[in-house]
Amino acid sequence: MSVTEQQVLECLAKVMSPRGTALTNANVLSAITVTDGKVFFSINVDAAEARAWENVRAQAETAVRALPGVSVAMIALTAERKAGGAAAAPPPPPRPAGGVAPASAHRHPHPPGAASPMARQAEIPGISAVIAVASGKGGVGKSTTALNLALGLRDLGLRVGLLDADIYGPSVPRLTGIREKPQLNDDKKMIPLNRFGLAIMSIGFLVEEDTAMIWRGPMVMSAITQMLRDVAWGTLDVLVVDMPPGTGDAQLTLAQNVPLKGAVIVSTPQDLSLIDARRGLAMFQKVNVPVLGIVENMSYFQCPHCGTRSDIFGHGGARHEAERLGVPFLGEIPLHMAIRAASDSGNPVVESEPDGPHAAIYRAIGAKVREQLEGAIAAA
Ligand code: ADP
């Protein structure tokens, strides 16, 4: 029996709000999405009230999850400052597991006087290092790089997970060919899907691609926090997070709130993309996340027939940029038909051609990343 929106509303009517009214009468609920037993909505309150509402969010989530026919309930508390209002108290730190911290009470990444960004980043139990793969804009091959880098790290003997946090356009289901939905364990945590020896989670497993578009603004952070902390990742050396492209507020909040050990920036050699990459770099530096290095993707064109190399984009820009900015250069990946075809058929090139030249490049990039994370992995 699948649950209906009406049943969800009836259940929420029994949850009291801090205003002394039923949650359904408090004028704080977003539209409720119910698909195949999966329930998503947000509670939108003023940042000043966020603390009082966290408990209500948790109660609402427990109540909805207990409804027969509900497999997943994701309820985000979004706390926005009223325009022109006084600065709100900073939100409570994220709970170690199983909940969502009020999303972005901070329109500013790190308002003066607020706690240091690092203070809010509770480590994720069992995961030694979380790293981000980011790009200043879409279409540069960030997701392809994230997945193949994850596989390269796996080939080095590490236990690796991949979180597709590109909530605006999750591409990991396509890149991995995964069509199943995650199951829940006894603790009601989602079990990541296992493919190619990686633990994989994507919002794309839970909602249709067009539904993913509803995750806008502060909800993005809440949904991602939940995917980080409400998933039974198990023991991992590295969790690779495929970030949403760009350097806007959502990305900044993410970079600030996810306990990142470092970030890899993917760029193409074109000038425009490099400018975007520079913005990405500045974003991570602003929130004290070490940049592990820059990857130049689609660095040169390699003819699939004769193997001739053509530097059609004036290759080498990212290497020079990395040198100029004093961050490591991690490697260059050619624009090659095999990489595109493998990606788009759900069988990434490191997996489909493990002895080929491309797999070797991704493993070499993986080795440089691992070198920088060694301290974190060894300590765990
Ligand atoms: P992003 O995550 O930056 O939006 P994707 O990883 O989805 O980008 O890649 C965009 C497109 O480019 C996909 O069709 C992918 O197969 C292709 N692509 C990515 N990297 C390469 C490459 N090095 N060579 C050929 N095609 C690539």
Side-chain angles (χ1 to χ4, degrees), residues 1-86:
M1 186 191 69
S2 68
V3 67
T4 62
E5 184 184 338
Q6 189 53 37
Q7 286 169 311
V8 173
L9 282 169
E10 281 164 16
C11 148
L12 295 176
K14 295 186 196 129
V15 177
M16 287 305 278
S17 78
R19 295 173 190 166
T21 57
L23 181 53
T24 39
N25 290 333
N27 206 18
V28 292
L29 294 180
S30 71
I32 297 177
T33 309
V34 184
T35 20
D36 296 340
K38 291 182 280 300
V39 182
F40 304 94
F41 64 90
S42 65
I43 300 174
N44 310 303
V45 301
D46 188 72
E49 297 176 289
R51 273 177 205 277
W53 282 89
E54 171 49 24
N55 200 17
V56 178
R57 187 207 68 79
Q59 279 174 35
E61 195 167 81
T62 308
V64 173
R65 275 190 189 156
L67 280 174
V70 170
S71 57
V72 172
M74 262 199 191
I75 301 174
L77 180 61
T78 68
E80 284 205 80
R81 236 183 250 169
K82 284 211 176 91

Side-chain angles (χ1 to χ4, degrees), residues 138-144 174 297-298 333-336 339-340 343-344:
V140 301
K142 171 184 55 59
S143 299
T144 304
R174 172 173 51 88
N297 189 36
M298 311 191 193
I333 302 160
L335 175 66
H336 196 283
I339 298 179
R340 199 205 62 73
S343 270
D344 295 345

Side-chain angles (χ1 to χ4, degrees), residues 94-284:
R95 288 179 289 141
V100 175
S104 171
H106 5 269
R107 299 234 103 186
H108 302 291
H110 184 198
S116 132
M118 304 305 264
R120 270 197 299 277
Q121 303 169 350
E123 298 284 331
I124 300 164
I127 304 182
S128 306
V130 183
I131 63 167
V133 175
S135 65
K137 63 168 190 176
V140 301
K142 171 184 55 59
S143 299
T144 304
T145 307
L147 174 57
N148 282 297
L149 169 62
L151 292 166
L153 290 165
R154 173 207 66 178
D155 287 351
L156 300 172
L158 300 180
R159 289 160 298 185
V160 185
L162 177 68
L163 171 62
D164 178 7
D166 188 348
I167 218 136
Y168 302 128
S171 49
V172 163
R174 172 173 51 88
L175 297 180
T176 56
I178 295 177
R179 301 274 173 271
E180 305 97 274
K181 310 262 177 214
Q183 305 291 312
L184 296 184
N185 69 9
D186 292 343
D187 297 332
K188 291 253 174 187
K189 285 195 166 204
M190 284 181 274
I191 304 168
L193 288 152
N194 192 303
R195 183 68 46 102
F196 318 124
L198 304 177
I200 304 179
M201 187 65 204
S202 165
I203 191 81
F205 299 155
L206 303 175
V207 295
E208 301 304 323
E209 216 158 315
D210 48 352
T211 319
M213 299 302 290
I214 68 165
W215 300 101
R216 293 243 168 244
M219 279 185 83
V220 172
M221 189 55 227
S222 297
I224 291 170
T225 308
Q226 198 151 15
M227 282 203 296
L228 266 175
R229 299 184 187 277
D230 275 4
V231 167
W233 289 108
T235 307
L236 295 178
D237 296 308
V238 183
L239 177 66
V240 177
V241 180
D242 181 7
M243 296 270 289
T247 48
D249 272 1
Q251 288 80 356
L252 189 64
T253 313
L254 223 152
Q256 183 183 20
N257 283 271
V258 175
L260 294 171
K261 287 281 188 294
V264 170
I265 308 234
V266 182
S267 178
T268 62
Q270 290 107 310
D271 264 346
L272 205 65
S273 167
L274 281 174
I275 292 167
D276 290 317
R278 236 169 278 155
R279 282 202 198 107
L281 207 84
M283 175 177 85
F284 286 110

Side-chain angles (χ1 to χ4, degrees), residues 279-342:
R279 282 202 198 107
L281 207 84
M283 175 177 85
F284 286 110
Q285 284 168 344
K286 200 186 229 166
V287 294
N288 297 326
V289 172
V291 174
L292 303 172
I294 298 181
V295 171
E296 185 171 271
N297 189 36
M298 311 191 193
S299 179
Y300 49 91
F301 174 71
Q302 201 164 23
C303 173
H305 307 296
C306 60
T308 313
R309 164 179 176 149
S310 321
D311 290 338
I312 44 179
F313 302 120
H315 128 273
R319 180 189 290 274
H320 293 140
E321 192 60 28
E323 274 165 18
R324 209 174 63 80
L325 296 166
V327 299
F329 182 69
L330 297 175
E332 47 199 42
I333 302 160
L335 175 66
H336 196 283
M337 196 58 195
I339 298 179
R340 199 205 62 73

